[in-house]
Structure formats: C-alpha cells, structure tokens
Amino acid sequence: WLPGKLRRRLVTRGFTLLFGRMSDYGLPEPDHLLGEAHPTVSSEVPSLTGSGDIVPKPAIERLDGHEVQFTDGSRERIDAIVYCTGYHVSFPFFAPEVLSAPGNELPLFFRVFERRYQGLGLIGFAQPLGAIMPIAEQQARWAAAYFAGSYALPSLAEMDAAIEAEAAAIRERFVASRRHTFQLEPAHYLPRLQREWERGRARARRGTGRAFRFGAASGTGTVSPTEPAPRGQPHRAGPPAAPTTALTTALTTEPSEKP
C-alpha cells in the first residue's frame, strides 16, 4: 500500500518514461498528476499528432465567420466545432429552493440522500472511475431497504460529517473543477456503503436513527423529522409540513428541519 499522492507521482513518472512528455506531441503539459483529473484514454492520439493528422491548438479566443482565432494569434478556417463541455446538473421538475446543484455541487449522503429530505433518494448521481451500473444498482438496493423500513439513516450530524469527509477527499484527490464534484472510486465507495448499510440495519432494529415512515392515512410517504423514541420503540414521524413538491410515486418531499 502507498499513499495516494505518492502512488500518483510514481504512475505519472512511469507514464512519462514509457510514452514521453505531452509536449513531445505538441500538447500542453498537465499541471497535475495522472489520476487527478479525467484522462483522455486513447492509444491513437500520440501517433495521430505525431503524424500530423491531428494538429493541437490552444484555446479559442473568438469566432469570426467560418474562421477561428486562437489565443496564440493563429487563425484557421473551421467546418465544425464540437464542444466537449461535460454535464450541467439541473432538476427542472423541482423548484430551485427545493433541490438544485449550483456549480454542479450536490452534497448527498453516500451520493444518494439529501440531508433535508427523508423521502427523497437520488440514484446514479455519481461519477465513478469505471462503469456506473454496479454503483447505481447498489444504491437502488440501499434506497429500497430504506423505503421498506429495514434501514434507518443516521443523525443529521453524522450525515453532515460523512458528506464533508467525502467533499474533503475529492478536494484532496482531484483538480478543482465542476467535472469532479460527483467523483468516487468504486473500490472505496462500495465497501463503505455496505458498512453503512449494516449500521443502518442495526439502527432500524433498535428503533433509532431516522427511519422512513409511509403515511397510513393519506397513502403518501412524507418527508418530516423523526422524533427521538425510547429505546426499543419505533420512531414516529413528526407533524408534516405543507408539501413542496411531489414525485411520480406519490412521495411528497418536505424539509426534515428548518435551515
């Protein structure tokens, strides 16, 4: 085992020894280590730039008709521009004050639960190093256990601590960018999620934690604060506030506590 920063330094050094520097191919030198930003994975780019089939250019300064002026002062006649700008996270079906992601920042407990709402789970709002499907499947199973009552969320203070720890890990590992706000590593994330699931099962059995309760009278599951219950007794949902929005499954979302 090696510390992450040292491991990335060694990998970057090994890559440079094997393939050379990016400037050897006419590309700018990265200002970070390999693994601290999303890499371009291609064995063809070096050979195509070396042969002249791809001509690297700096940033675009302005567009002038069919020509593009670049920041180095050069101009080229361009047929098409492909914008590789990534994703902009938005929730048009929610009011912004209910749920939004300014700057692509969306703090979630284990990338699923928003701390203010006990009846809302988001699946797949993560960017793993690898396929999203195994992550989304485990998240869905975990959220289903919560809504079925076999798992209980921890306290808000514990959720906040876990959310901040995840954000700090992202800041330490990745270049500051809108592209990396949802980043996670499955090899680390999935075992941690499994351990939290087991802790939540124990909380549900003890009747502690923040459990989801499906409304018996209205037939809707409400998002409302759970009141502390005596040991061994189930939690009771507090008085629900006016619903702010509704999901297609008839679950209403309401703040679990005032900000």
Side-chain angles (χ1 to χ4, degrees):
W1 180 87
L2 292 172
K5 194 77 170 181
L6 176 58
R7 185 171 65 249
R8 293 192 292 276
R9 287 187 184 280
L10 292 174
V11 170
T12 301
R13 180 60 178 163
F15 181 90
T16 303
L17 290 173
L18 287 172
F19 300 103
R21 303 176 65 84
M22 292 295 97
S23 55
D24 297 338
Y25 303 97
L27 299 170
E29 289 292 336
D31 58 0
H32 54 271
L33 299 175
L34 191 63
E36 293 182 347
H38 300 159
T40 299
V41 182
S42 172
S43 60
E44 300 298 321
V45 169
S47 60
L48 292 174
T49 54
S51 65
D53 292 307
I54 293 178
V55 179
K57 301 292 290 186
I60 294 175
E61 184 176 274
R62 65 188 180 92
L63 305 180
D64 185 8
H66 289 285
E67 292 191 340
V68 174
Q69 180 164 320
F70 297 93
T71 53
D72 64 353
S74 63
R75 296 172 66 93
E76 299 284 351
R77 183 175 179 83
I78 301 297
D79 297 318
I81 298 175
V82 179
Y83 289 88
C84 303
T85 54
Y87 298 98
H88 171 67
V89 180
S90 65
F91 300 91
F93 42 86
F94 282 119
E97 64 273 15
V98 174
L99 192 68
S100 60
N104 278 7
E105 293 281 353
L106 183 63
L108 298 173
F109 182 61
F110 279 87
R111 305 302 318 149
V112 172
F113 293 108
E114 213 277 6
R115 68 181 300 282
R116 297 173 298 165
Y117 305 108
Q118 286 185 256
L120 176 64
L122 304 175
I123 306 302
F125 281 80
Q127 189 161 317
L129 296 174
I132 185 64
M133 288 77 76
I135 300 294
E137 178 179 359
Q138 195 71 350
Q139 288 179 336
R141 291 175 182 274
W142 179 46
Y146 169 66
F147 290 119
S150 63
Y151 167 88
L153 289 167
S155 67
L156 288 177
E158 291 175 279
M159 292 178 70
D160 288 341
I163 290 170
E164 177 52 35
E166 178 191 302
I170 290 175
R171 289 193 298 268
E172 190 277 332
R173 167 67 192 276
F174 295 99
V175 173
S177 169
R178 292 164 56 97
R179 297 177 298 161
H180 301 139
T181 53
F182 288 13
Q183 199 71 41
L184 59 80
E185 294 191 52
H188 297 161
Y189 174 81
L190 289 174
R192 289 175 49 245
L193 178 58
Q194 185 62 37
R195 290 193 292 272
E196 170 53 33
W197 195 343
E198 292 167 0
R199 289 191 294 267
R201 287 195 188 108
R203 288 191 294 266
R205 289 193 297 269
R206 294 193 305 266
T208 59
R210 303 170 66 235
F212 177 75
R213 293 289 179 259
F214 202 74
S218 63
T220 61
T222 60
V223 181
S224 55
T226 52
E227 301 170 349
R231 187 177 181 83
Q233 295 185 16
H235 276 239
R236 301 183 304 276
T244 54
T245 187
L247 302 181
T248 55
T249 53
L251 299 180
T252 58
T253 60
E254 302 165 3
S256 60
E257 62 177 27
K258 294 181 179 179

